[in-house]
Amino acid sequence: MTKLSVNINKIATLRNARGGNVPDLLKVAVDIQRFGGQGITIHPRPDERHIRYQDARDLKAIVTTEYNIEGNPQHNFIDLVLECKPDQVTLVPDAIGAITSSAGWDTIKNQEYLTEVIQEFQKNGIRTSIFVDPILEMIEGAKKTGTDRIELYTESFAHQYSLGNERGIDPYVEAAKLANELGLGINAGHDLSLDNIKFFKDNIPGLLEVSIGHALISEALYLGLDNTVNMYLNKLK
């Protein structure tokens, strides 16, 4: 079964919009795990517009499943990850001020930099994953960095699937096959939803984990958080 890690950034966004502590981010993390979620993902950004660095510290004592912190490995982010020591760190090349992630790493141009960062995290017992587009050269480049896993950036698949083009998954299938051959673990995320998750999971060989936030939280407004988490779990079996 592919694991479901729930990104709770949007819970923090809602909390920060009003001030105070409603909704309670830590309680939501506890409840998601109680509902069956197999991991909690956060993506703190430098401006702390949703997840705050203190949230990352506070969640360390709350997450009993898998704790995944993702972000651009700038100095403050690296220090935070080394302090919190999550189960997994996902490296994402998002620019400062970006609304959301929009591309994977160029693992060839950034190979030396990524290798250095990955070695530091692995030395501290933290599993590493690199956010990549489904481009074979980028998968090969990821292997050379020494990363444990890749996370396939699935925005293109989700867009094509919404247009009725199921062939939009083809580059992801080829990327996954290569990753399996190279011994890289495979995660995936971005714009995955209840509409497309089963098709994606059924076609990607060796898919270990998906990280889903925006769609899941949006769907939960109608369906309820407990129900939504379990709907994803059923589709990921």
Side-chain angles (χ1 to χ4, degrees), residues 138-198:
M138 295 302 113
I139 309 299
E140 292 170 345
K143 175 63 177 178
K144 292 177 181 178
T145 68
T147 190
D148 301 294
R149 296 187 182 185
I150 57 169
E151 178 171 328
L152 293 172
Y153 172 48
T154 51
E155 189 273 338
S156 176
F157 155 74
H159 177 65
Q160 291 299 319
Y161 189 83
S162 72
L163 298 176
N165 178 21
E166 295 186 352
R167 299 301 299 273
I169 201 169
D170 290 353
Y172 294 87
V173 174
E174 295 305 310
K177 288 179 179 177
L178 178 58
N180 286 326
E181 291 173 5
L182 295 175
L184 291 170
I186 303 171
N187 298 342
H190 204 89
D191 287 350
L192 295 175
S193 69
L194 284 174
D195 289 334
N196 60 37
I197 187 63
K198 181 170 174 53

Short mmCIF file of all heavy atoms in Angstrom, two decimals, residues 138-198:
data_model
loop_
_atom_site.label_atom_id
_atom_site.label_comp_id
_atom_site.label_asym_id
_atom_site.label_seq_id
_atom_site.Cartn_x
_atom_site.Cartn_y
_atom_site.Cartn_z
N MET A 138 16.93 13.93 -15.27
CA MET A 138 16.86 14.46 -13.91
C MET A 138 16.82 13.31 -12.88
O MET A 138 17.35 13.44 -11.77
CB MET A 138 15.63 15.35 -13.74
CG MET A 138 15.65 16.61 -14.59
SD MET A 138 17.10 17.65 -14.27
CE MET A 138 17.98 17.50 -15.83
N ILE A 139 16.23 12.17 -13.26
CA ILE A 139 16.22 11.00 -12.39
C ILE A 139 17.65 10.46 -12.26
O ILE A 139 18.11 10.14 -11.15
CB ILE A 139 15.29 9.90 -12.94
CG1 ILE A 139 13.90 10.47 -13.26
CG2 ILE A 139 15.20 8.74 -11.96
CD1 ILE A 139 13.16 11.05 -12.10
N GLU A 140 18.34 10.39 -13.38
CA GLU A 140 19.73 9.92 -13.35
C GLU A 140 20.60 10.86 -12.53
O GLU A 140 21.47 10.43 -11.76
CB GLU A 140 20.25 9.81 -14.78
CG GLU A 140 19.59 8.70 -15.58
CD GLU A 140 19.92 8.75 -17.06
OE1 GLU A 140 20.44 9.79 -17.51
OE2 GLU A 140 19.67 7.75 -17.75
N GLY A 141 20.35 12.17 -12.68
CA GLY A 141 21.10 13.14 -11.89
C GLY A 141 20.82 13.01 -10.41
O GLY A 141 21.71 13.16 -9.58
N ALA A 142 19.57 12.72 -10.07
CA ALA A 142 19.20 12.53 -8.66
C ALA A 142 19.96 11.37 -8.06
O ALA A 142 20.44 11.43 -6.92
CB ALA A 142 17.70 12.31 -8.54
N LYS A 143 20.09 10.29 -8.82
CA LYS A 143 20.84 9.12 -8.34
C LYS A 143 22.26 9.50 -7.97
O LYS A 143 22.80 9.05 -6.94
CB LYS A 143 20.83 8.03 -9.40
CG LYS A 143 21.66 6.80 -9.05
CD LYS A 143 21.14 6.09 -7.81
CE LYS A 143 21.95 4.83 -7.54
NZ LYS A 143 21.48 4.13 -6.30
N LYS A 144 22.88 10.35 -8.77
CA LYS A 144 24.27 10.72 -8.55
C LYS A 144 24.46 11.60 -7.30
O LYS A 144 25.58 11.72 -6.80
CB LYS A 144 24.82 11.44 -9.78
CG LYS A 144 24.94 10.52 -10.99
CD LYS A 144 25.42 11.26 -12.23
CE LYS A 144 25.51 10.33 -13.43
NZ LYS A 144 25.92 11.04 -14.67
N THR A 145 23.39 12.20 -6.81
CA THR A 145 23.51 13.02 -5.59
C THR A 145 23.57 12.16 -4.33
O THR A 145 23.92 12.65 -3.26
CB THR A 145 22.32 13.98 -5.45
OG1 THR A 145 21.12 13.21 -5.20
CG2 THR A 145 22.14 14.84 -6.68
N GLY A 146 23.16 10.89 -4.44
CA GLY A 146 23.13 10.02 -3.27
C GLY A 146 21.83 10.07 -2.51
O GLY A 146 21.73 9.49 -1.42
N THR A 147 20.80 10.72 -3.05
CA THR A 147 19.52 10.80 -2.36
C THR A 147 18.90 9.41 -2.18
O THR A 147 19.14 8.50 -2.98
CB THR A 147 18.54 11.72 -3.11
OG1 THR A 147 17.39 11.96 -2.31
CG2 THR A 147 18.10 11.11 -4.44
N ASP A 148 18.08 9.28 -1.15
CA ASP A 148 17.38 8.02 -0.90
C ASP A 148 16.17 7.87 -1.81
O ASP A 148 15.88 6.77 -2.29
CB ASP A 148 16.91 7.96 0.56
CG ASP A 148 18.06 8.07 1.54
OD1 ASP A 148 18.90 7.15 1.56
OD2 ASP A 148 18.13 9.08 2.27
N ARG A 149 15.47 8.98 -2.03
CA ARG A 149 14.24 8.93 -2.80
C ARG A 149 14.13 10.15 -3.71
O ARG A 149 14.86 11.14 -3.55
CB ARG A 149 13.00 8.91 -1.89
CG ARG A 149 12.88 7.70 -1.00
CD ARG A 149 11.53 7.69 -0.27
NE ARG A 149 11.40 6.55 0.63
CZ ARG A 149 10.31 6.27 1.32
NH1 ARG A 149 9.22 7.06 1.21
NH2 ARG A 149 10.26 5.22 2.11
N ILE A 150 13.19 10.07 -4.65
CA ILE A 150 12.76 11.23 -5.41
C ILE A 150 11.28 11.45 -5.11
O ILE A 150 10.58 10.52 -4.70
CB ILE A 150 12.96 11.04 -6.92
CG1 ILE A 150 12.22 9.78 -7.42
CG2 ILE A 150 14.44 11.01 -7.27
CD1 ILE A 150 12.14 9.66 -8.92
N GLU A 151 10.83 12.69 -5.26
CA GLU A 151 9.39 12.97 -5.23
C GLU A 151 9.01 13.52 -6.60
O GLU A 151 9.47 14.60 -7.00
CB GLU A 151 9.00 13.97 -4.14
CG GLU A 151 7.51 14.27 -4.17
CD GLU A 151 7.01 15.08 -2.98
OE1 GLU A 151 7.56 14.93 -1.88
OE2 GLU A 151 6.05 15.86 -3.18
N LEU A 152 8.18 12.77 -7.32
CA LEU A 152 7.74 13.20 -8.64
C LEU A 152 6.77 14.38 -8.51
O LEU A 152 5.78 14.31 -7.78
CB LEU A 152 7.08 12.04 -9.37
CG LEU A 152 8.00 10.87 -9.75
CD1 LEU A 152 7.17 9.70 -10.29
CD2 LEU A 152 9.04 11.31 -10.78
N TYR A 153 7.07 15.44 -9.25
CA TYR A 153 6.22 16.64 -9.26
C TYR A 153 5.07 16.39 -10.22
O TYR A 153 5.25 16.32 -11.44
CB TYR A 153 7.07 17.83 -9.70
CG TYR A 153 6.32 19.11 -9.96
CD1 TYR A 153 5.38 19.60 -9.05
CD2 TYR A 153 6.56 19.85 -11.11
CE1 TYR A 153 4.70 20.78 -9.30
CE2 TYR A 153 5.90 21.04 -11.37
CZ TYR A 153 4.97 21.49 -10.46
OH TYR A 153 4.29 22.66 -10.70
N THR A 154 3.86 16.24 -9.69
CA THR A 154 2.74 15.69 -10.45
C THR A 154 1.76 16.73 -11.02
O THR A 154 0.68 16.36 -11.46
CB THR A 154 1.97 14.67 -9.58
OG1 THR A 154 1.66 15.28 -8.31
CG2 THR A 154 2.79 13.42 -9.36
N GLU A 155 2.11 17.99 -11.03
CA GLU A 155 1.19 19.02 -11.53
C GLU A 155 0.80 18.76 -12.98
O GLU A 155 -0.38 18.88 -13.36
CB GLU A 155 1.81 20.40 -11.39
CG GLU A 155 0.86 21.55 -11.69
CD GLU A 155 0.81 21.92 -13.17
OE1 GLU A 155 1.79 21.60 -13.89
OE2 GLU A 155 -0.21 22.50 -13.61
N SER A 156 1.76 18.39 -13.82
CA SER A 156 1.47 18.17 -15.22
C SER A 156 0.51 17.00 -15.40
O SER A 156 -0.45 17.08 -16.19
CB SER A 156 2.77 17.90 -15.99
OG SER A 156 2.50 17.59 -17.34
N PHE A 157 0.76 15.91 -14.68
CA PHE A 157 -0.16 14.77 -14.75
C PHE A 157 -1.57 15.19 -14.37
O PHE A 157 -2.55 14.86 -15.05
CB PHE A 157 0.30 13.63 -13.84
CG PHE A 157 -0.83 12.73 -13.42
CD1 PHE A 157 -1.38 11.84 -14.32
CD2 PHE A 157 -1.37 12.83 -12.14
CE1 PHE A 157 -2.46 11.03 -13.95
CE2 PHE A 157 -2.44 12.03 -11.76
CZ PHE A 157 -2.99 11.12 -12.67
N ALA A 158 -1.70 15.89 -13.24
CA ALA A 158 -3.02 16.28 -12.74
C ALA A 158 -3.76 17.15 -13.75
O ALA A 158 -4.97 16.99 -13.97
CB ALA A 158 -2.89 17.00 -11.41
N HIS A 159 -3.03 18.07 -14.37
CA HIS A 159 -3.66 18.95 -15.37
C HIS A 159 -4.14 18.14 -16.57
O HIS A 159 -5.29 18.31 -17.02
CB HIS A 159 -2.67 20.02 -15.80
CG HIS A 159 -3.20 20.93 -16.87
ND1 HIS A 159 -4.26 21.79 -16.67
CD2 HIS A 159 -2.81 21.09 -18.17
CE1 HIS A 159 -4.50 22.45 -17.78
NE2 HIS A 159 -3.65 22.05 -18.70
N GLN A 160 -3.28 17.28 -17.09
CA GLN A 160 -3.66 16.49 -18.26
C GLN A 160 -4.82 15.55 -17.93
O GLN A 160 -5.73 15.37 -18.75
CB GLN A 160 -2.46 15.69 -18.77
CG GLN A 160 -1.36 16.54 -19.39
CD GLN A 160 -1.85 17.31 -20.59
OE1 GLN A 160 -2.60 16.81 -21.43
NE2 GLN A 160 -1.45 18.58 -20.68
N TYR A 161 -4.81 14.97 -16.76
CA TYR A 161 -5.87 14.05 -16.36
C TYR A 161 -7.21 14.78 -16.29
O TYR A 161 -8.26 14.25 -16.67
CB TYR A 161 -5.53 13.41 -15.02
CG TYR A 161 -6.46 12.28 -14.62
CD1 TYR A 161 -6.28 11.00 -15.11
CD2 TYR A 161 -7.53 12.50 -13.76
CE1 TYR A 161 -7.12 9.95 -14.74
CE2 TYR A 161 -8.38 11.47 -13.38
CZ TYR A 161 -8.17 10.20 -13.88
OH TYR A 161 -9.01 9.18 -13.53
N SER A 162 -7.18 16.02 -15.80
CA SER A 162 -8.41 16.81 -15.70
C SER A 162 -8.98 17.14 -17.07
O SER A 162 -10.17 17.40 -17.20
CB SER A 162 -8.15 18.12 -14.92
OG SER A 162 -7.38 19.03 -15.70
N LEU A 163 -8.14 17.10 -18.10
CA LEU A 163 -8.57 17.35 -19.47
C LEU A 163 -9.01 16.07 -20.17
O LEU A 163 -9.41 16.10 -21.33
CB LEU A 163 -7.44 18.00 -20.27
CG LEU A 163 -6.94 19.36 -19.79
CD1 LEU A 163 -5.76 19.82 -20.62
CD2 LEU A 163 -8.05 20.39 -19.81
N GLY A 164 -8.92 14.95 -19.45
CA GLY A 164 -9.30 13.67 -20.03
C GLY A 164 -8.17 12.94 -20.74
O GLY A 164 -8.40 11.93 -21.40
N ASN A 165 -6.95 13.45 -20.62
CA ASN A 165 -5.80 12.84 -21.28
C ASN A 165 -5.06 11.92 -20.32
O ASN A 165 -4.18 12.35 -19.58
CB ASN A 165 -4.85 13.92 -21.79
CG ASN A 165 -3.62 13.34 -22.46
OD1 ASN A 165 -3.63 12.18 -22.88
ND2 ASN A 165 -2.55 14.13 -22.54
N GLU A 166 -5.42 10.65 -20.36
CA GLU A 166 -4.78 9.69 -19.47
C GLU A 166 -3.33 9.41 -19.86
O GLU A 166 -2.56 8.91 -19.05
CB GLU A 166 -5.58 8.39 -19.44
CG GLU A 166 -6.96 8.55 -18.82
CD GLU A 166 -7.70 7.24 -18.67
OE1 GLU A 166 -7.20 6.21 -19.19
OE2 GLU A 166 -8.77 7.23 -18.03
N ARG A 167 -2.95 9.74 -21.09
CA ARG A 167 -1.56 9.53 -21.52
C ARG A 167 -0.61 10.50 -20.85
O ARG A 167 0.61 10.34 -20.96
CB ARG A 167 -1.46 9.67 -23.05
CG ARG A 167 -2.29 8.67 -23.83
CD ARG A 167 -1.90 7.24 -23.50
NE ARG A 167 -0.53 6.94 -23.81
CZ ARG A 167 -0.09 6.52 -24.99
NH1 ARG A 167 -0.95 6.38 -26.00
NH2 ARG A 167 1.19 6.25 -25.18
N GLY A 168 -1.15 11.48 -20.16
CA GLY A 168 -0.29 12.40 -19.43
C GLY A 168 0.51 11.72 -18.34
O GLY A 168 1.48 12.29 -17.82
N ILE A 169 0.15 10.50 -18.01
CA ILE A 169 0.90 9.78 -16.98
C ILE A 169 2.13 9.08 -17.56
O ILE A 169 3.01 8.65 -16.80
CB ILE A 169 -0.01 8.74 -16.28
CG1 ILE A 169 0.57 8.36 -14.92
CG2 ILE A 169 -0.22 7.49 -17.16
CD1 ILE A 169 -0.36 7.57 -14.04
N ASP A 170 2.23 8.97 -18.87
CA ASP A 170 3.31 8.19 -19.49
C ASP A 170 4.71 8.60 -19.04
O ASP A 170 5.54 7.74 -18.72
CB ASP A 170 3.20 8.26 -21.02
CG ASP A 170 2.00 7.50 -21.55
OD1 ASP A 170 1.32 6.82 -20.75
OD2 ASP A 170 1.73 7.61 -22.77
N PRO A 171 5.04 9.91 -18.99
CA PRO A 171 6.38 10.28 -18.54
C PRO A 171 6.66 9.86 -17.10
O PRO A 171 7.80 9.55 -16.74
CB PRO A 171 6.40 11.81 -18.68
CG PRO A 171 5.32 12.12 -19.65
CD PRO A 171 4.27 11.09 -19.43
N TYR A 172 5.61 9.82 -16.29
CA TYR A 172 5.77 9.42 -14.88
C TYR A 172 6.02 7.92 -14.76
O TYR A 172 6.80 7.49 -13.91
CB TYR A 172 4.53 9.84 -14.09
CG TYR A 172 4.36 11.32 -14.00
CD1 TYR A 172 3.68 12.03 -15.01
CD2 TYR A 172 4.91 12.05 -12.95
CE1 TYR A 172 3.55 13.40 -14.95
CE2 TYR A 172 4.79 13.42 -12.89
CZ TYR A 172 4.12 14.10 -13.89
OH TYR A 172 4.00 15.47 -13.84
N VAL A 173 5.37 7.15 -15.61
CA VAL A 173 5.60 5.71 -15.61
C VAL A 173 7.06 5.42 -15.99
O VAL A 173 7.74 4.61 -15.33
CB VAL A 173 4.64 5.01 -16.58
CG1 VAL A 173 4.97 3.52 -16.70
CG2 VAL A 173 3.19 5.19 -16.13
N GLU A 174 7.54 6.09 -17.04
CA GLU A 174 8.92 5.87 -17.47
C GLU A 174 9.91 6.33 -16.40
O GLU A 174 10.93 5.67 -16.16
CB GLU A 174 9.18 6.60 -18.79
CG GLU A 174 8.37 6.06 -19.96
CD GLU A 174 8.58 4.57 -20.14
OE1 GLU A 174 9.75 4.14 -20.18
OE2 GLU A 174 7.57 3.83 -20.26
N ALA A 175 9.61 7.46 -15.77
CA ALA A 175 10.48 7.96 -14.71
C ALA A 175 10.52 7.00 -13.53
O ALA A 175 11.58 6.75 -12.94
CB ALA A 175 10.00 9.34 -14.24
N ALA A 176 9.36 6.44 -13.19
CA ALA A 176 9.30 5.50 -12.08
C ALA A 176 10.05 4.22 -12.39
O ALA A 176 10.75 3.66 -11.53
CB ALA A 176 7.84 5.19 -11.75
N LYS A 177 9.93 3.73 -13.61
CA LYS A 177 10.66 2.52 -14.00
C LYS A 177 12.17 2.73 -13.86
O LYS A 177 12.89 1.87 -13.35
CB LYS A 177 10.30 2.13 -15.43
CG LYS A 177 8.91 1.57 -15.60
CD LYS A 177 8.63 1.24 -17.07
CE LYS A 177 7.24 0.64 -17.26
NZ LYS A 177 6.94 0.39 -18.70
N LEU A 178 12.63 3.88 -14.31
CA LEU A 178 14.06 4.18 -14.21
C LEU A 178 14.48 4.30 -12.75
O LEU A 178 15.53 3.77 -12.35
CB LEU A 178 14.39 5.46 -14.97
CG LEU A 178 15.86 5.91 -14.90
CD1 LEU A 178 16.80 4.83 -15.43
CD2 LEU A 178 16.06 7.22 -15.66
N ALA A 179 13.68 4.99 -11.95
CA ALA A 179 14.00 5.14 -10.53
C ALA A 179 14.10 3.78 -9.85
O ALA A 179 15.01 3.54 -9.04
CB ALA A 179 12.95 6.01 -9.84
N ASN A 180 13.18 2.88 -10.19
CA ASN A 180 13.24 1.54 -9.62
C ASN A 180 14.52 0.82 -10.03
O ASN A 180 15.16 0.15 -9.21
CB ASN A 180 12.02 0.73 -10.07
CG ASN A 180 10.74 1.15 -9.36
OD1 ASN A 180 10.77 1.52 -8.20
ND2 ASN A 180 9.62 1.10 -10.07
N GLU A 181 14.89 0.95 -11.29
CA GLU A 181 16.13 0.32 -11.78
C GLU A 181 17.36 0.87 -11.06
O GLU A 181 18.32 0.13 -10.80
CB GLU A 181 16.27 0.55 -13.28
CG GLU A 181 15.25 -0.19 -14.13
CD GLU A 181 15.33 0.19 -15.60
OE1 GLU A 181 16.26 0.97 -15.95
OE2 GLU A 181 14.47 -0.25 -16.38
N LEU A 182 17.32 2.16 -10.72
CA LEU A 182 18.46 2.81 -10.07
C LEU A 182 18.45 2.63 -8.55
O LEU A 182 19.39 3.06 -7.87
CB LEU A 182 18.46 4.30 -10.41
CG LEU A 182 18.68 4.65 -11.88
CD1 LEU A 182 18.52 6.15 -12.10
CD2 LEU A 182 20.05 4.19 -12.35
N GLY A 183 17.40 2.03 -8.03
CA GLY A 183 17.33 1.82 -6.58
C GLY A 183 16.88 3.03 -5.79
O GLY A 183 17.14 3.13 -4.59
N LEU A 184 16.17 3.96 -6.46
CA LEU A 184 15.65 5.14 -5.78
C LEU A 184 14.22 4.88 -5.33
O LEU A 184 13.39 4.38 -6.11
CB LEU A 184 15.66 6.34 -6.72
CG LEU A 184 17.02 6.91 -7.13
CD1 LEU A 184 16.85 7.92 -8.25
CD2 LEU A 184 17.71 7.55 -5.93
N GLY A 185 13.88 5.25 -4.09
CA GLY A 185 12.50 5.19 -3.64
C GLY A 185 11.70 6.27 -4.34
O GLY A 185 12.24 7.32 -4.73
N ILE A 186 10.39 6.05 -4.48
CA ILE A 186 9.54 6.98 -5.23
C ILE A 186 8.42 7.52 -4.35
O ILE A 186 7.60 6.77 -3.82
CB ILE A 186 8.91 6.31 -6.46
CG1 ILE A 186 10.00 5.75 -7.38
CG2 ILE A 186 8.04 7.31 -7.22
CD1 ILE A 186 9.46 4.89 -8.50
N ASN A 187 8.41 8.84 -4.18
CA ASN A 187 7.29 9.57 -3.60
C ASN A 187 6.66 10.42 -4.71
O ASN A 187 7.21 10.54 -5.80
CB ASN A 187 7.76 10.49 -2.46
CG ASN A 187 8.38 9.72 -1.30
OD1 ASN A 187 8.18 8.51 -1.16
ND2 ASN A 187 9.14 10.42 -0.47
N ALA A 188 5.52 11.03 -4.43
CA ALA A 188 4.90 11.89 -5.42
C ALA A 188 4.02 12.93 -4.73
O ALA A 188 3.51 12.69 -3.63
CB ALA A 188 4.05 11.09 -6.41
N GLY A 189 3.83 14.06 -5.38
CA GLY A 189 2.96 15.07 -4.82
C GLY A 189 2.79 16.28 -5.71
O GLY A 189 3.63 16.56 -6.56
N HIS A 190 1.73 16.99 -5.52
CA HIS A 190 1.32 18.27 -6.12
C HIS A 190 0.10 18.05 -7.00
O HIS A 190 0.17 17.41 -8.05
CB HIS A 190 2.43 18.94 -6.93
CG HIS A 190 2.21 20.43 -7.06
ND1 HIS A 190 2.70 21.33 -6.13
CD2 HIS A 190 1.53 21.16 -7.95
CE1 HIS A 190 2.33 22.56 -6.47
NE2 HIS A 190 1.62 22.48 -7.58
N ASP A 191 -1.01 18.60 -6.57
CA ASP A 191 -2.29 18.56 -7.28
C ASP A 191 -2.90 17.16 -7.39
O ASP A 191 -3.83 16.94 -8.17
CB ASP A 191 -2.18 19.19 -8.68
CG ASP A 191 -2.06 20.70 -8.62
OD1 ASP A 191 -2.24 21.26 -7.53
OD2 ASP A 191 -1.77 21.32 -9.66
N LEU A 192 -2.39 16.21 -6.61
CA LEU A 192 -3.07 14.92 -6.52
C LEU A 192 -4.34 15.11 -5.70
O LEU A 192 -4.37 15.88 -4.74
CB LEU A 192 -2.16 13.88 -5.87
CG LEU A 192 -0.90 13.52 -6.68
CD1 LEU A 192 -0.01 12.57 -5.89
CD2 LEU A 192 -1.27 12.92 -8.03
N SER A 193 -5.41 14.39 -6.08
CA SER A 193 -6.71 14.60 -5.46
C SER A 193 -7.49 13.29 -5.44
O SER A 193 -7.04 12.27 -5.99
CB SER A 193 -7.51 15.65 -6.26
OG SER A 193 -7.86 15.13 -7.53
N LEU A 194 -8.67 13.33 -4.86
CA LEU A 194 -9.53 12.14 -4.86
C LEU A 194 -9.89 11.73 -6.29
O LEU A 194 -10.13 10.55 -6.56
CB LEU A 194 -10.80 12.39 -4.05
CG LEU A 194 -10.66 12.36 -2.53
CD1 LEU A 194 -11.97 12.77 -1.86
CD2 LEU A 194 -10.22 10.98 -2.03
N ASP A 195 -9.94 12.68 -7.20
CA ASP A 195 -10.31 12.38 -8.58
C ASP A 195 -9.23 11.59 -9.32
O ASP A 195 -9.53 10.74 -10.16
CB ASP A 195 -10.60 13.67 -9.37
CG ASP A 195 -11.89 14.33 -8.92
OD1 ASP A 195 -12.77 13.62 -8.41
OD2 ASP A 195 -12.00 15.56 -9.08
N ASN A 196 -7.96 11.89 -9.04
CA ASN A 196 -6.90 11.31 -9.86
C ASN A 196 -5.95 10.36 -9.13
O ASN A 196 -5.13 9.70 -9.77
CB ASN A 196 -6.08 12.42 -10.54
CG ASN A 196 -5.41 13.36 -9.53
OD1 ASN A 196 -4.95 12.95 -8.48
ND2 ASN A 196 -5.36 14.65 -9.89
N ILE A 197 -6.06 10.27 -7.81
CA ILE A 197 -5.05 9.54 -7.04
C ILE A 197 -5.02 8.05 -7.35
O ILE A 197 -3.95 7.44 -7.44
CB ILE A 197 -5.22 9.79 -5.52
CG1 ILE A 197 -4.05 9.19 -4.74
CG2 ILE A 197 -6.54 9.25 -5.00
CD1 ILE A 197 -2.71 9.78 -5.06
N LYS A 198 -6.18 7.43 -7.51
CA LYS A 198 -6.20 5.99 -7.76
C LYS A 198 -5.57 5.66 -9.11
O LYS A 198 -4.77 4.71 -9.22
CB LYS A 198 -7.62 5.43 -7.69
CG LYS A 198 -7.67 3.92 -7.94
CD LYS A 198 -9.03 3.33 -7.64
CE LYS A 198 -9.09 1.85 -8.03
NZ LYS A 198 -7.99 1.04 -7.43
#
